[in-house]
Amino acid sequence: MRTSRLTAGLTALVALALITAGCSSETSGDAPSSTAAGGGSGSGADSGGGGGTLRISNAITTDPIIPMTVDTATTRVMDMVWTGLVRYDDTLTPYNANAESIETTDATTFTITLKPDYTFSDGTPVTADSYVDAWNYSAYGPNAAQSSSYFSLIEGYEALNPAAPEGSDTAPEPTATTLSGLKKLGDHQFSVTLAKPMASFPSILGYSIFYPMPTSFFADPEAYAKLPVGNGPYTMTSLIPGQEVDLVKTVGYDHEDAGKADAINFISFSEDTAAYTAVQGDQLDYAPVPSAYLPTFQDDFPNSSALVTGTSMMDMQIPLYQEKYADPNVRIALSMAIDRESIVKALLPGAATPADGWVSPALPGYQAGACGENCSYDPEKAKALWAKTSFPGDVVITTLAPQNTLFTSVCQSITDTLGVACSVNSVADRTTYKGIAQAFEAPGPIRWGWAIDYPTMENMLVPRFTDGGSSNWMTYASPEFQALIDKANAETDPAAAATQFNAAQAVLGKDMPDVPIYFQQGAGVWSESTQGLVLTGFGWPDLLKAYKTS
Amino acid sequence: MLKFTGRRLVQFIPVLIGATIICWGLVWALPGDPFKGRCGQVACSAQYIQTMTQKYGLDKPLPEQYLVFLKNVFTGNLGQTFSGLEISDVIGRALPVTARLALISIVIQIVLSAAIGIWSGLRANGPFDVTALFGSLILFSLPIFVVAFVAQYVLGVQLDWVKPTVSTAAPTRELILPAAVLAIGTLATLMRILRASVAEGMHADYLRTARAKGFRESRVIGVHLMRNVMAPALNVLGLEFAALLGGTVIVEGIFNIKGIGGLIYRAIQDREQLTVSTVVTLVIVFYLVINLIVDIACAQLDPRSRND
């Protein structure tokens, strides 16, 4: 009988395990429905067109997939579930989608007319209110929308987001709930008055923060976020926050931007390498290329991979608030001391190009060498400049752990050229790293990549380099730069505006508040059975054109 | 036995409170504002930061926040993450996956280590034992992520025997490979422990006595020897099972398993104090309970270890 006591102890252990595992049966109510191919056979319901189900790697966060959320991966889902006023084609050129027309005479007030035949997938029509209410909601401070600061473009933002008075850190109640710059003119027409002229405003309206919202959202935002409803070519059928979003083609969506695939499943991968392997194992249809595979991905996927000029860049913001870096000669010398060509060739073969400015080559209006000679490697000049400065101590570059290798090479380059000691302060997590920049406590240059929100030159220059810009952690403020930006923004002719933006870049080249390092290329691989997939300048496939052959 | 268990259960309370206070303090001490960095690459508006800070009570003094957390845990309301999800839902999704993974891994460990370890011990220094020793040394020295990558690539991509990554629903068959990879590290330890105690026990007096009594060899080995061999292995197994329930960030990442490890990792990154503390509390409870069960089982096996 003694043995039974021994087994009793063991069974207790196993029983506990089973109990913990048993919890699963109660909580599995939100398991993906049968529409989710979730690693299944992959081919969805065949609707005659043979569109199939695309399984796409996409690192969605747990934040709600609604226009108030600012997150690249979430935006990629929204672009399928919504149709904004404009969409971007494969060359990043905007075209009118939900908008019939967007008209202006002064680059400040825009009259937007909607196409009348758009509906949300719950059947309610898309009207001017769908836009006006959504924008007002996002802009209103107490609603705590991540996208809020973007709406400062529009007149009346301050009234919705009063700043805290001097000496207090509590902001007063807003004095208004709606933006004075938004006016409904009719069921399908409204006007937008901007705080400052911005001729490229129509081009930014394809960004997901400007998408319309149905009435069900305003009635109960939390319930709505459980399975958001949009007006786009695809409709959400299941959503497991941070894990998987499944979409099917919207029934009766009859517009030029209709999708080809029957269904799209976005599956979140915490590691890019796992996603890449999943495509190799035919468990996934698209994955971005992790940097470790850049040298070999074209051999792994000879017929189903692509590399495009991307629109994101890597750079270092220099803390102008640190005495050491106040002298522009110090910053220019650092920039000229970096052998971008060799670093890119060694670390990102074929996946990046040395940056010659702050606007990506993929954008309309790009001009080679906009920065001037200060962004090119010139050890002699760098040494001569450095000799003129009195730089105390050494250079400490703050970076995020994944870019350790890159910035160690940048450091090496600086030390080799200037003879100054340089070290990398690597931060393991995003929050700490962002905290250092945002508290203006960077001891030296800090890595600060930039990916465009929408394809305009303005988006690569204004948030980072204007005084008070939403991503200006250098405390850079230049009236000369600002004047050129203002001129460019007021210029309705795109070519003339580009000239002004490039002149503004030359000012940056002279002041060098930020050292550009490289422009990122977008690289992706897809499964053999995926057809029609095109990578765009966003470094992301145009999923409306892709489909599966079974 | 009851008194012993009761006393241990009472001891849980200070341990849990101490651990949560430490965990709470550590997350709180991390630099960076949890809300400032939540707007992608641009700055969040001041109103956003203020509203969120008030909504989640992060403007209150730390002790008060902690007490609210304790109250919540005891009333079963775990609160929400900064994304507005119920923490209980988030854990409810991740824990079953991790629990099944841990369970499969433990079963693999028990079956393999018992078979190999006991066999080696019974035939100590024989050819099988020597091979097993080399095998376990190799297993022990392999970095787990290398094994994971190689297994994933060879079995999942080249041979196409298994799916290379685990899908969202995480069916059991997809968890077998990652569970086997997780088993490798402890497998070697367990094998060696079992082998050593079996080999030692084979020459022990009590075994000679048992044989002298005329018991059948199967009973001598199966009952008399095993009772003495079990205890150390059980301790290792218990700790390993608890560790697995605490999640495994690296293996989860490689096989894209949406479990507890990745959940804690991301929660720490995002300064999700409530989520971190809740999950850590849960993991500590697992440790304590499993530890207690192991102690009770060992007391059953070996009367000498009963201390009451």
Side-chain angles (χ1 to χ4, degrees):
Chain A
M1 247 15 280
R2 283 208 192 104
T3 46
S4 70
R5 262 194 307 206
L6 146 69
T7 37
L10 281 176
T11 4
L13 184 67
V14 174
L16 174 89
L18 285 171
I19 289 163
T20 19
C23 302
S24 66
S25 56
E26 293 161 44
T27 51
S28 61
D30 50 10
S33 59
S34 55
T35 50
S41 65
S43 135
D46 198 272
S47 64
T53 298
L54 291 169
R55 299 157 303 172
I56 310 291
S57 159
N58 191 14
I60 44 171
T61 66
T62 55
D63 286 335
I65 303 182
I66 55 174
M68 289 79 209
T69 299
V70 184
D71 165 67
T72 313
T74 310
T75 291
R76 286 164 179 168
V77 178
M78 287 193 258
D79 290 344
M80 298 294 106
V81 178
W82 270 269
T83 297
L85 293 166
V86 308
R87 250 191 212 285
Y88 306 109
D89 68 11
D90 297 348
T91 63
L92 304 188
T93 313
Y95 63 91
N96 284 348
N98 194 175
E100 182 77 62
S101 64
I102 304 172
E103 287 160 346
T104 182
T105 50
D106 57 0
T108 309
T109 301
F110 295 81
T111 305
I112 298 171
T113 311
L114 304 177
K115 288 175 185 155
D117 54 349
Y118 269 85
T119 54
F120 288 103
S121 57
D122 61 4
T124 55
V126 180
T127 63
D129 284 332
S130 315
Y131 283 94
V132 173
D133 292 350
W135 296 6
N136 279 329
Y137 183 94
S138 299
Y140 185 65
N143 287 336
Q146 293 176 8
S147 60
S148 177
S149 52
Y150 285 92
F151 290 89
S152 56
L153 293 169
I154 300 173
E155 196 178 71
Y157 180 78
E158 287 71 26
L160 276 64
N161 293 273
E166 281 299 318
S168 144
D169 51 7
T170 323
E173 283 288 297
T175 52
T177 54
T178 55
L179 292 160
S180 58
L182 285 182
K183 283 193 185 60
K184 182 181 166 183
L185 304 175
D187 277 352
H188 295 98
Q189 195 177 56
F190 64 103
S191 73
V192 186
T193 306
L194 302 182
K196 273 172 44 178
M198 182 177 174
S200 61
F201 183 68
S203 316
I204 80 174
L205 293 172
Y207 185 29
S208 58
I209 62 166
F210 296 110
Y211 287 167
M213 291 298 256
T215 45
S216 58
F217 166 77
F218 303 101
D220 187 350
E222 269 192 34
Y224 172 89
K226 288 196 165 54
L227 198 66
V229 167
N231 63 331
Y234 287 88
T235 303
M236 254 187 242
T237 53
S238 115
L239 162 62
I240 304 172
Q243 297 189 13
E244 185 166 344
V245 194
D246 299 336
L247 319 178
V248 297
K249 224 170 167 162
T250 305
V251 180
Y253 186 87
D254 186 22
H255 302 282
E256 63 174 320
D257 56 356
K260 282 207 167 87
D262 292 329
I264 303 177
N265 295 346
F266 288 104
I267 301 156
S268 177
F269 279 78
S270 49
E271 301 284 339
D272 274 354
T273 44
Y276 184 89
T277 310
V279 179
Q280 286 180 306
D282 201 27
Q283 205 188 352
L284 196 65
D285 296 313
Y286 176 83
V289 178
S291 50
Y293 292 101
L294 284 169
T296 55
F297 79 96
Q298 277 151 324
D299 303 333
D300 291 344
F301 295 90
N303 308 317
S304 58
S305 60
L307 185 68
V308 293
T309 307
T311 43
S312 53
M313 70 178 295
M314 184 60 72
D315 52 274
M316 299 191 295
Q317 294 203 351
I318 300 183
L320 307 185
Y321 49 87
Q322 299 281 18
E323 192 75 28
K324 298 164 76 161
Y325 294 97
D327 178 358
N329 284 339
V330 165
R331 307 191 296 260
I332 296 166
L334 286 177
S335 168
M336 291 177 115
I338 300 168
D339 184 357
R340 297 171 180 79
E341 192 86 40
S342 309
I343 292 174
V344 165
K345 205 173 274 174
L347 299 179
L348 297 153
T353 49
D356 59 355
W358 292 268
V359 170
S360 152
L363 290 177
Y366 163 80
Q367 182 200 325
C371 160
E373 59 176 14
N374 289 352
C375 290
S376 48
Y377 177 54
D378 191 336
E380 296 314 311
K381 275 201 179 128
K383 279 196 197 92
L385 270 177
W386 193 253
K388 285 193 216 164
T389 67
S390 51
F391 185 82
D394 52 2
V395 178
V396 178
I397 301 177
T398 306
T399 179
L400 205 51
Q403 275 83 36
N404 278 356
T405 324
L406 171 74
F407 283 97
T408 305
S409 310
V410 168
C411 251
Q412 196 55 51
S413 208
I414 289 172
T415 304
D416 289 350
T417 310
L418 305 176
V420 63
C422 173
S423 62
V424 172
N425 165 32
S426 161
V427 181
D429 78 290
R430 296 187 302 278
T431 311
T432 307
Y433 147 81
K434 280 185 177 175
I436 292 172
Q438 296 175 348
F440 301 108
E441 284 168 357
I446 181 165
R447 159 233 182 267
W448 200 264
W450 184 257
I452 54 161
D453 300 313
Y454 34 84
T456 63
M457 296 178 84
E458 177 271 341
N459 186 238
M460 291 203 88
L461 298 173
V462 170
R464 290 189 290 170
F465 303 116
T466 51
D467 189 7
S470 56
S471 201
N472 175 349
W473 309 113
M474 302 148 282
T475 63
Y476 178 65
S478 156
E480 190 186 357
F481 174 80
Q482 186 66 56
L484 287 162
I485 291 286
D486 289 344
K487 250 195 218 156
N489 272 334
E491 186 60 72
T492 45
D493 169 36
T499 309
Q500 301 290 356
F501 280 125
N502 287 321
Q505 284 196 80
V507 175
L508 293 179
K510 194 163 54 82
D511 294 343
M512 201 56 70
D514 172 285
V515 176
I517 306 212
Y518 63 74
F519 294 125
Q520 178 84 44
Q521 310 270 68
V525 294
W526 52 91
S527 62
E528 293 279 328
S529 54
T530 305
Q531 303 296 317
L533 193 140
V534 184
L535 273 196
T536 73
F538 284 109
W540 185 252
D542 181 349
L543 293 175
L544 295 174
K545 292 209 174 91
Y547 60 96
K548 290 279 290 285
T549 52
S550 31
Chain B
M1 200 77 237
L2 263 176
K3 222 163 73 183
F4 163 73
T5 313
R7 217 177 39 226
R8 285 287 298 272
L9 285 172
V10 173
Q11 283 172 3
F12 282 7
I13 297 165
V15 172
L16 275 178
I17 291 186
T20 47
I21 287 181
I22 291 172
C23 165
W24 196 263
L26 286 174
V27 177
W28 186 80
L30 287 169
D33 180 307
F35 301 122
K36 264 192 176 162
R38 284 184 55 83
C39 302
Q41 50 188 6
V42 301
C44 292
S45 70
Q47 281 272 355
Y48 172 85
I49 296 167
Q50 183 175 319
T51 310
M52 292 291 274
T53 306
Q54 282 169 358
K55 184 176 170 188
Y56 289 95
L58 297 193
D59 49 346
K60 297 195 174 70
L62 198 62
E64 191 181 331
Q65 286 183 46
Y66 177 73
L67 289 176
V68 170
F69 160 73
L70 273 192
K71 195 186 95 204
N72 283 351
V73 169
F74 282 112
T75 53
N77 159 30
L78 300 179
Q80 290 189 332
T81 68
F82 297 154
S83 306
L85 301 174
E86 292 298 326
I87 293 178
S88 51
D89 289 351
V90 174
I91 295 176
R93 266 196 291 270
L95 187 59
V97 177
T98 295
R100 279 187 296 136
L101 183 68
L103 200 60
I104 299 168
S105 184
I106 287 290
V107 169
I108 294 174
Q109 286 177 37
I110 291 175
V111 172
L112 288 180
S113 65
I116 301 170
I118 294 170
W119 191 250
S120 302
L122 293 173
R123 303 267 184 284
N125 303 326
F128 181 83
D129 182 28
V130 175
T131 316
L133 170 65
F134 272 101
S136 65
L137 282 176
I138 290 170
L139 286 186
F140 196 72
S141 56
L142 281 174
I144 193 161
F145 65 91
V146 173
V147 179
F149 271 126
V150 171
Q152 180 186 46
Y153 189 72
V154 172
L155 302 174
V157 176
Q158 289 191 313
L159 299 174
D160 204 16
W161 289 356
V162 293
K163 296 245 186 289
T165 59
V166 175
S167 55
T168 309
T172 300
R173 65 172 191 284
E174 292 180 3
L175 292 174
I176 293 172
L177 180 62
V181 168
L182 282 171
I184 282 174
T186 328
L187 191 60
T189 317
L190 268 174
M191 263 160 49
R192 300 314 297 163
I193 288 177
L194 279 168
R195 181 222 172 258
S197 20
V198 170
E200 192 187 342
M202 288 298 280
H203 306 293
D205 293 345
Y206 66 85
L207 218 68
R208 222 180 26 223
T209 312
R211 287 200 177 107
K213 283 182 180 169
F215 289 134
R216 275 201 316 276
E217 188 65 8
S218 63
R219 182 169 167 86
V220 170
I221 303 283
V223 178
H224 293 254
L225 178 63
M226 281 310 130
R227 273 189 67 145
N228 288 284
V229 164
M230 279 297 187
L234 212 53
N235 273 305
V236 173
L237 262 179
L239 281 176
E240 169 67 4
F241 186 55
L244 285 172
L245 286 176
T248 48
V249 178
I250 293 173
V251 172
E252 280 182 19
I254 291 172
F255 291 101
N256 202 39
I257 299 167
K258 313 281 197 302
I260 292 284
L263 175 67
I264 297 186
Y265 178 74
R266 278 188 303 274
I268 292 174
Q269 287 244 325
D270 297 342
R271 305 287 185 276
E272 293 261 14
Q273 214 156 354
L274 269 179
T275 314
V276 176
S277 305
T278 311
V279 178
V280 167
T281 309
L282 202 66
V283 172
I284 293 167
V285 170
F286 289 150
Y287 263 99
L288 293 172
V289 171
I290 290 170
N291 215 323
L292 177 64
I293 292 173
V294 167
D295 284 356
I296 292 172
C298 286
Q300 295 291 340
L301 288 168
D302 183 355
R304 285 170 307 177
S305 68
R306 291 178 207 174
N307 46 5
D308 59 328

